[in-house]
Amino acid sequence: MRTTTGEGKYVTVMNTTTIAAELAKVTDHWTPRIIGQVNDQYVKVAKLLGEFVWHAHENEDELFWVISGRLRIQLENRDEVVLEPGEFFVVPRGVRHNPIADDEVEIVLIETVTTTHTGDVVVERTVPIERQFSAD
């Protein structure tokens, strides 16, 4: 997916894939897997189950697109958002949120390359960006 230019810079290698095939490679809940990059945005897939953690991304919006399952996103001082398959929601930068999957949910995330996994908090579930790159 990515290869070095030899100068410490990375380029995206063109290839085809399906979301289903990439989701099949995800083995751990709440562990995003980077499957592509468009300019300064990563395209990630993840499987979610249970409650995550309240957090915010001060400088980045975050797009959640549900592929299967039902995702609830609690938002601080706002109504909860419920997403069904095929629906997406953008959490605006700076908004504290907490994703919850009562049953397993498969999602696509689109995030700026500077977005940290758990935003303004670090917890046991925090996955650093270098662990999010797909191995193939």
PDB file of all heavy atoms in Angstrom, residues 84-111:
ATOM      1  N   GLU A  84     -27.055   3.628  10.836  1.00  0.00           N
ATOM      2  CA  GLU A  84     -27.385   2.311  10.288  1.00  0.00           C
ATOM      3  C   GLU A  84     -26.474   2.061   9.086  1.00  0.00           C
ATOM      4  O   GLU A  84     -25.823   2.988   8.593  1.00  0.00           O
ATOM      5  CB  GLU A  84     -28.858   2.271   9.874  1.00  0.00           C
ATOM      6  CG  GLU A  84     -29.849   2.561  10.992  1.00  0.00           C
ATOM      7  CD  GLU A  84     -29.966   1.465  12.036  1.00  0.00           C
ATOM      8  OE1 GLU A  84     -29.549   0.316  11.748  1.00  0.00           O
ATOM      9  OE2 GLU A  84     -30.485   1.737  13.132  1.00  0.00           O
ATOM     10  N   PRO A  85     -26.427   0.826   8.559  1.00  0.00           N
ATOM     11  CA  PRO A  85     -25.582   0.541   7.400  1.00  0.00           C
ATOM     12  C   PRO A  85     -25.841   1.512   6.241  1.00  0.00           C
ATOM     13  O   PRO A  85     -26.986   1.822   5.914  1.00  0.00           O
ATOM     14  CB  PRO A  85     -25.970  -0.889   7.015  1.00  0.00           C
ATOM     15  CG  PRO A  85     -26.392  -1.498   8.324  1.00  0.00           C
ATOM     16  CD  PRO A  85     -27.112  -0.382   9.041  1.00  0.00           C
ATOM     17  N   GLY A  86     -24.740   1.997   5.671  1.00  0.00           N
ATOM     18  CA  GLY A  86     -24.811   2.935   4.560  1.00  0.00           C
ATOM     19  C   GLY A  86     -24.839   4.386   4.980  1.00  0.00           C
ATOM     20  O   GLY A  86     -24.694   5.277   4.147  1.00  0.00           O
ATOM     21  N   GLU A  87     -25.029   4.652   6.267  1.00  0.00           N
ATOM     22  CA  GLU A  87     -25.082   6.028   6.747  1.00  0.00           C
ATOM     23  C   GLU A  87     -23.728   6.462   7.286  1.00  0.00           C
ATOM     24  O   GLU A  87     -22.956   5.645   7.787  1.00  0.00           O
ATOM     25  CB  GLU A  87     -26.131   6.171   7.858  1.00  0.00           C
ATOM     26  CG  GLU A  87     -27.537   5.912   7.361  1.00  0.00           C
ATOM     27  CD  GLU A  87     -28.575   6.078   8.459  1.00  0.00           C
ATOM     28  OE1 GLU A  87     -28.290   5.739   9.629  1.00  0.00           O
ATOM     29  OE2 GLU A  87     -29.677   6.534   8.137  1.00  0.00           O
ATOM     30  N   PHE A  88     -23.468   7.777   7.185  1.00  0.00           N
ATOM     31  CA  PHE A  88     -22.237   8.313   7.759  1.00  0.00           C
ATOM     32  C   PHE A  88     -22.535   9.593   8.510  1.00  0.00           C
ATOM     33  O   PHE A  88     -23.576  10.223   8.318  1.00  0.00           O
ATOM     34  CB  PHE A  88     -21.149   8.519   6.696  1.00  0.00           C
ATOM     35  CG  PHE A  88     -21.396   9.674   5.761  1.00  0.00           C
ATOM     36  CD1 PHE A  88     -20.964  10.961   6.088  1.00  0.00           C
ATOM     37  CD2 PHE A  88     -22.024   9.478   4.556  1.00  0.00           C
ATOM     38  CE1 PHE A  88     -21.181  12.028   5.228  1.00  0.00           C
ATOM     39  CE2 PHE A  88     -22.240  10.526   3.681  1.00  0.00           C
ATOM     40  CZ  PHE A  88     -21.818  11.812   4.013  1.00  0.00           C
ATOM     41  N   PHE A  89     -21.612   9.939   9.380  1.00  0.00           N
ATOM     42  CA  PHE A  89     -21.723  11.158  10.181  1.00  0.00           C
ATOM     43  C   PHE A  89     -20.327  11.720  10.382  1.00  0.00           C
ATOM     44  O   PHE A  89     -19.380  10.966  10.616  1.00  0.00           O
ATOM     45  CB  PHE A  89     -22.351  10.841  11.549  1.00  0.00           C
ATOM     46  CG  PHE A  89     -22.461  12.039  12.457  1.00  0.00           C
ATOM     47  CD1 PHE A  89     -23.419  13.008  12.239  1.00  0.00           C
ATOM     48  CD2 PHE A  89     -21.594  12.188  13.530  1.00  0.00           C
ATOM     49  CE1 PHE A  89     -23.522  14.117  13.081  1.00  0.00           C
ATOM     50  CE2 PHE A  89     -21.686  13.286  14.368  1.00  0.00           C
ATOM     51  CZ  PHE A  89     -22.659  14.257  14.142  1.00  0.00           C
ATOM     52  N   VAL A  90     -20.226  13.030  10.290  1.00  0.00           N
ATOM     53  CA  VAL A  90     -18.953  13.693  10.544  1.00  0.00           C
ATOM     54  C   VAL A  90     -19.007  14.339  11.920  1.00  0.00           C
ATOM     55  O   VAL A  90     -19.862  15.192  12.180  1.00  0.00           O
ATOM     56  CB  VAL A  90     -18.656  14.767   9.467  1.00  0.00           C
ATOM     57  CG1 VAL A  90     -17.362  15.501   9.800  1.00  0.00           C
ATOM     58  CG2 VAL A  90     -18.572  14.131   8.087  1.00  0.00           C
ATOM     59  N   VAL A  91     -18.114  13.900  12.798  1.00  0.00           N
ATOM     60  CA  VAL A  91     -17.973  14.535  14.105  1.00  0.00           C
ATOM     61  C   VAL A  91     -17.090  15.762  13.884  1.00  0.00           C
ATOM     62  O   VAL A  91     -15.934  15.624  13.473  1.00  0.00           O
ATOM     63  CB  VAL A  91     -17.333  13.580  15.140  1.00  0.00           C
ATOM     64  CG1 VAL A  91     -17.120  14.306  16.461  1.00  0.00           C
ATOM     65  CG2 VAL A  91     -18.177  12.329  15.325  1.00  0.00           C
ATOM     66  N   PRO A  92     -17.615  16.950  14.149  1.00  0.00           N
ATOM     67  CA  PRO A  92     -16.815  18.152  13.935  1.00  0.00           C
ATOM     68  C   PRO A  92     -15.639  18.237  14.901  1.00  0.00           C
ATOM     69  O   PRO A  92     -15.710  17.750  16.033  1.00  0.00           O
ATOM     70  CB  PRO A  92     -17.798  19.302  14.200  1.00  0.00           C
ATOM     71  CG  PRO A  92     -19.156  18.689  14.096  1.00  0.00           C
ATOM     72  CD  PRO A  92     -18.980  17.258  14.541  1.00  0.00           C
ATOM     73  N   ARG A  93     -14.584  18.845  14.439  1.00  0.00           N
ATOM     74  CA  ARG A  93     -13.405  19.041  15.288  1.00  0.00           C
ATOM     75  C   ARG A  93     -13.799  19.683  16.610  1.00  0.00           C
ATOM     76  O   ARG A  93     -14.703  20.512  16.673  1.00  0.00           O
ATOM     77  CB  ARG A  93     -12.360  19.886  14.570  1.00  0.00           C
ATOM     78  CG  ARG A  93     -12.786  21.305  14.321  1.00  0.00           C
ATOM     79  CD  ARG A  93     -11.875  22.021  13.375  1.00  0.00           C
ATOM     80  NE  ARG A  93     -12.080  21.428  12.056  1.00  0.00           N
ATOM     81  CZ  ARG A  93     -11.238  21.519  11.050  1.00  0.00           C
ATOM     82  NH1 ARG A  93     -10.156  22.224  11.159  1.00  0.00           N
ATOM     83  NH2 ARG A  93     -11.502  20.944   9.907  1.00  0.00           N
ATOM     84  N   GLY A  94     -13.138  19.221  17.665  1.00  0.00           N
ATOM     85  CA  GLY A  94     -13.359  19.788  18.986  1.00  0.00           C
ATOM     86  C   GLY A  94     -14.563  19.247  19.735  1.00  0.00           C
ATOM     87  O   GLY A  94     -14.737  19.565  20.911  1.00  0.00           O
ATOM     88  N   VAL A  95     -15.410  18.447  19.101  1.00  0.00           N
ATOM     89  CA  VAL A  95     -16.612  17.919  19.761  1.00  0.00           C
ATOM     90  C   VAL A  95     -16.264  16.609  20.462  1.00  0.00           C
ATOM     91  O   VAL A  95     -15.828  15.643  19.837  1.00  0.00           O
ATOM     92  CB  VAL A  95     -17.753  17.700  18.747  1.00  0.00           C
ATOM     93  CG1 VAL A  95     -18.936  16.989  19.406  1.00  0.00           C
ATOM     94  CG2 VAL A  95     -18.189  19.023  18.137  1.00  0.00           C
ATOM     95  N   ARG A  96     -16.466  16.580  21.774  1.00  0.00           N
ATOM     96  CA  ARG A  96     -16.232  15.350  22.537  1.00  0.00           C
ATOM     97  C   ARG A  96     -17.298  14.338  22.135  1.00  0.00           C
ATOM     98  O   ARG A  96     -18.477  14.666  22.053  1.00  0.00           O
ATOM     99  CB  ARG A  96     -16.256  15.617  24.037  1.00  0.00           C
ATOM    100  CG  ARG A  96     -15.051  16.457  24.478  1.00  0.00           C
ATOM    101  CD  ARG A  96     -14.952  16.624  25.980  1.00  0.00           C
ATOM    102  NE  ARG A  96     -14.850  15.371  26.710  1.00  0.00           N
ATOM    103  CZ  ARG A  96     -13.799  14.543  26.707  1.00  0.00           C
ATOM    104  NH1 ARG A  96     -12.736  14.847  26.013  1.00  0.00           N
ATOM    105  NH2 ARG A  96     -13.806  13.434  27.413  1.00  0.00           N
ATOM    106  N   HIS A  97     -16.842  13.103  21.890  1.00  0.00           N
ATOM    107  CA  HIS A  97     -17.748  12.058  21.444  1.00  0.00           C
ATOM    108  C   HIS A  97     -17.301  10.709  21.983  1.00  0.00           C
ATOM    109  O   HIS A  97     -16.158  10.542  22.397  1.00  0.00           O
ATOM    110  CB  HIS A  97     -17.842  12.031  19.911  1.00  0.00           C
ATOM    111  CG  HIS A  97     -16.525  11.831  19.222  1.00  0.00           C
ATOM    112  ND1 HIS A  97     -15.565  12.818  19.138  1.00  0.00           N
ATOM    113  CD2 HIS A  97     -16.006  10.762  18.583  1.00  0.00           C
ATOM    114  CE1 HIS A  97     -14.516  12.356  18.475  1.00  0.00           C
ATOM    115  NE2 HIS A  97     -14.749  11.103  18.128  1.00  0.00           N
ATOM    116  N   ASN A  98     -18.246   9.770  21.969  1.00  0.00           N
ATOM    117  CA  ASN A  98     -17.992   8.428  22.483  1.00  0.00           C
ATOM    118  C   ASN A  98     -18.765   7.429  21.630  1.00  0.00           C
ATOM    119  O   ASN A  98     -19.973   7.306  21.762  1.00  0.00           O
ATOM    120  CB  ASN A  98     -18.433   8.329  23.948  1.00  0.00           C
ATOM    121  CG  ASN A  98     -18.162   6.962  24.531  1.00  0.00           C
ATOM    122  OD1 ASN A  98     -17.203   6.294  24.183  1.00  0.00           O
ATOM    123  ND2 ASN A  98     -19.029   6.538  25.440  1.00  0.00           N
ATOM    124  N   PRO A  99     -18.086   6.701  20.731  1.00  0.00           N
ATOM    125  CA  PRO A  99     -18.765   5.690  19.922  1.00  0.00           C
ATOM    126  C   PRO A  99     -19.141   4.467  20.763  1.00  0.00           C
ATOM    127  O   PRO A  99     -18.362   4.032  21.618  1.00  0.00           O
ATOM    128  CB  PRO A  99     -17.721   5.308  18.869  1.00  0.00           C
ATOM    129  CG  PRO A  99     -16.679   6.373  18.923  1.00  0.00           C
ATOM    130  CD  PRO A  99     -16.704   6.897  20.318  1.00  0.00           C
ATOM    131  N   ILE A 100     -20.327   3.912  20.482  1.00  0.00           N
ATOM    132  CA  ILE A 100     -20.804   2.726  21.184  1.00  0.00           C
ATOM    133  C   ILE A 100     -21.405   1.755  20.174  1.00  0.00           C
ATOM    134  O   ILE A 100     -22.246   2.134  19.360  1.00  0.00           O
ATOM    135  CB  ILE A 100     -21.869   3.078  22.243  1.00  0.00           C
ATOM    136  CG1 ILE A 100     -21.290   4.035  23.281  1.00  0.00           C
ATOM    137  CG2 ILE A 100     -22.417   1.814  22.904  1.00  0.00           C
ATOM    138  CD1 ILE A 100     -22.319   4.573  24.250  1.00  0.00           C
ATOM    139  N   ALA A 101     -20.956   0.499  20.228  1.00  0.00           N
ATOM    140  CA  ALA A 101     -21.491  -0.557  19.374  1.00  0.00           C
ATOM    141  C   ALA A 101     -22.067  -1.638  20.285  1.00  0.00           C
ATOM    142  O   ALA A 101     -21.323  -2.392  20.899  1.00  0.00           O
ATOM    143  CB  ALA A 101     -20.390  -1.135  18.488  1.00  0.00           C
ATOM    144  N   ASP A 102     -23.386  -1.685  20.390  1.00  0.00           N
ATOM    145  CA  ASP A 102     -24.028  -2.679  21.250  1.00  0.00           C
ATOM    146  C   ASP A 102     -23.796  -4.092  20.713  1.00  0.00           C
ATOM    147  O   ASP A 102     -23.704  -5.044  21.480  1.00  0.00           O
ATOM    148  CB  ASP A 102     -25.519  -2.381  21.373  1.00  0.00           C
ATOM    149  CG  ASP A 102     -25.760  -1.044  22.084  1.00  0.00           C
ATOM    150  OD1 ASP A 102     -25.071  -0.767  23.088  1.00  0.00           O
ATOM    151  OD2 ASP A 102     -26.617  -0.277  21.620  1.00  0.00           O
ATOM    152  N   ASP A 103     -23.711  -4.226  19.401  1.00  0.00           N
ATOM    153  CA  ASP A 103     -23.321  -5.453  18.708  1.00  0.00           C
ATOM    154  C   ASP A 103     -22.210  -5.058  17.751  1.00  0.00           C
ATOM    155  O   ASP A 103     -22.006  -3.866  17.488  1.00  0.00           O
ATOM    156  CB  ASP A 103     -24.507  -6.046  17.931  1.00  0.00           C
ATOM    157  CG  ASP A 103     -25.633  -6.481  18.871  1.00  0.00           C
ATOM    158  OD1 ASP A 103     -25.364  -7.299  19.774  1.00  0.00           O
ATOM    159  OD2 ASP A 103     -26.773  -5.994  18.700  1.00  0.00           O
ATOM    160  N   GLU A 104     -21.503  -6.033  17.181  1.00  0.00           N
ATOM    161  CA  GLU A 104     -20.368  -5.691  16.322  1.00  0.00           C
ATOM    162  C   GLU A 104     -20.790  -4.789  15.155  1.00  0.00           C
ATOM    163  O   GLU A 104     -21.814  -5.024  14.521  1.00  0.00           O
ATOM    164  CB  GLU A 104     -19.690  -6.945  15.770  1.00  0.00           C
ATOM    165  CG  GLU A 104     -18.411  -6.607  15.009  1.00  0.00           C
ATOM    166  CD  GLU A 104     -17.636  -7.828  14.571  1.00  0.00           C
ATOM    167  OE1 GLU A 104     -18.066  -8.463  13.580  1.00  0.00           O
ATOM    168  OE2 GLU A 104     -16.625  -8.148  15.225  1.00  0.00           O
ATOM    169  N   VAL A 105     -19.981  -3.775  14.915  1.00  0.00           N
ATOM    170  CA  VAL A 105     -20.191  -2.821  13.831  1.00  0.00           C
ATOM    171  C   VAL A 105     -18.930  -2.793  12.982  1.00  0.00           C
ATOM    172  O   VAL A 105     -17.821  -2.809  13.508  1.00  0.00           O
ATOM    173  CB  VAL A 105     -20.485  -1.404  14.393  1.00  0.00           C
ATOM    174  CG1 VAL A 105     -20.606  -0.389  13.274  1.00  0.00           C
ATOM    175  CG2 VAL A 105     -21.740  -1.415  15.249  1.00  0.00           C
ATOM    176  N   GLU A 106     -19.110  -2.741  11.674  1.00  0.00           N
ATOM    177  CA  GLU A 106     -17.985  -2.575  10.752  1.00  0.00           C
ATOM    178  C   GLU A 106     -18.101  -1.181  10.150  1.00  0.00           C
ATOM    179  O   GLU A 106     -19.178  -0.789   9.692  1.00  0.00           O
ATOM    180  CB  GLU A 106     -18.022  -3.631   9.650  1.00  0.00           C
ATOM    181  CG  GLU A 106     -17.842  -5.034  10.184  1.00  0.00           C
ATOM    182  CD  GLU A 106     -17.913  -6.080   9.094  1.00  0.00           C
ATOM    183  OE1 GLU A 106     -18.772  -5.953   8.192  1.00  0.00           O
ATOM    184  OE2 GLU A 106     -17.108  -7.033   9.145  1.00  0.00           O
ATOM    185  N   ILE A 107     -16.983  -0.435  10.175  1.00  0.00           N
ATOM    186  CA  ILE A 107     -17.028   0.946   9.704  1.00  0.00           C
ATOM    187  C   ILE A 107     -15.852   1.279   8.798  1.00  0.00           C
ATOM    188  O   ILE A 107     -14.831   0.590   8.792  1.00  0.00           O
ATOM    189  CB  ILE A 107     -17.031   1.955  10.878  1.00  0.00           C
ATOM    190  CG1 ILE A 107     -15.723   1.865  11.676  1.00  0.00           C
ATOM    191  CG2 ILE A 107     -18.239   1.802  11.763  1.00  0.00           C
ATOM    192  CD1 ILE A 107     -15.515   3.011  12.653  1.00  0.00           C
ATOM    193  N   VAL A 108     -16.027   2.371   8.080  1.00  0.00           N
ATOM    194  CA  VAL A 108     -14.952   3.053   7.385  1.00  0.00           C
ATOM    195  C   VAL A 108     -14.791   4.389   8.091  1.00  0.00           C
ATOM    196  O   VAL A 108     -15.778   5.049   8.433  1.00  0.00           O
ATOM    197  CB  VAL A 108     -15.294   3.283   5.893  1.00  0.00           C
ATOM    198  CG1 VAL A 108     -14.271   4.199   5.234  1.00  0.00           C
ATOM    199  CG2 VAL A 108     -15.372   1.962   5.154  1.00  0.00           C
ATOM    200  N   LEU A 109     -13.560   4.755   8.345  1.00  0.00           N
ATOM    201  CA  LEU A 109     -13.229   6.060   8.915  1.00  0.00           C
ATOM    202  C   LEU A 109     -12.445   6.847   7.878  1.00  0.00           C
ATOM    203  O   LEU A 109     -11.592   6.277   7.188  1.00  0.00           O
ATOM    204  CB  LEU A 109     -12.340   5.914  10.163  1.00  0.00           C
ATOM    205  CG  LEU A 109     -12.948   5.245  11.374  1.00  0.00           C
ATOM    206  CD1 LEU A 109     -11.863   4.782  12.328  1.00  0.00           C
ATOM    207  CD2 LEU A 109     -13.875   6.223  12.080  1.00  0.00           C
ATOM    208  N   ILE A 110     -12.726   8.116   7.775  1.00  0.00           N
ATOM    209  CA  ILE A 110     -11.902   8.995   6.955  1.00  0.00           C
ATOM    210  C   ILE A 110     -11.417  10.097   7.874  1.00  0.00           C
ATOM    211  O   ILE A 110     -12.221  10.821   8.476  1.00  0.00           O
ATOM    212  CB  ILE A 110     -12.673   9.545   5.746  1.00  0.00           C
ATOM    213  CG1 ILE A 110     -13.138   8.384   4.867  1.00  0.00           C
ATOM    214  CG2 ILE A 110     -11.801  10.529   4.960  1.00  0.00           C
ATOM    215  CD1 ILE A 110     -13.963   8.773   3.671  1.00  0.00           C
ATOM    216  N   GLU A 111     -10.100  10.157   8.020  1.00  0.00           N
ATOM    217  CA  GLU A 111      -9.485  11.074   8.986  1.00  0.00           C
ATOM    218  C   GLU A 111      -8.237  11.709   8.391  1.00  0.00           C
ATOM    219  O   GLU A 111      -7.491  11.064   7.659  1.00  0.00           O
ATOM    220  CB  GLU A 111      -9.060  10.320  10.250  1.00  0.00           C
ATOM    221  CG  GLU A 111     -10.160   9.560  10.937  1.00  0.00           C
ATOM    222  CD  GLU A 111      -9.634   8.725  12.092  1.00  0.00           C
ATOM    223  OE1 GLU A 111      -8.508   8.219  12.035  1.00  0.00           O
ATOM    224  OE2 GLU A 111     -10.395   8.580  13.057  1.00  0.00           O
TER     225      GLU A 111
END
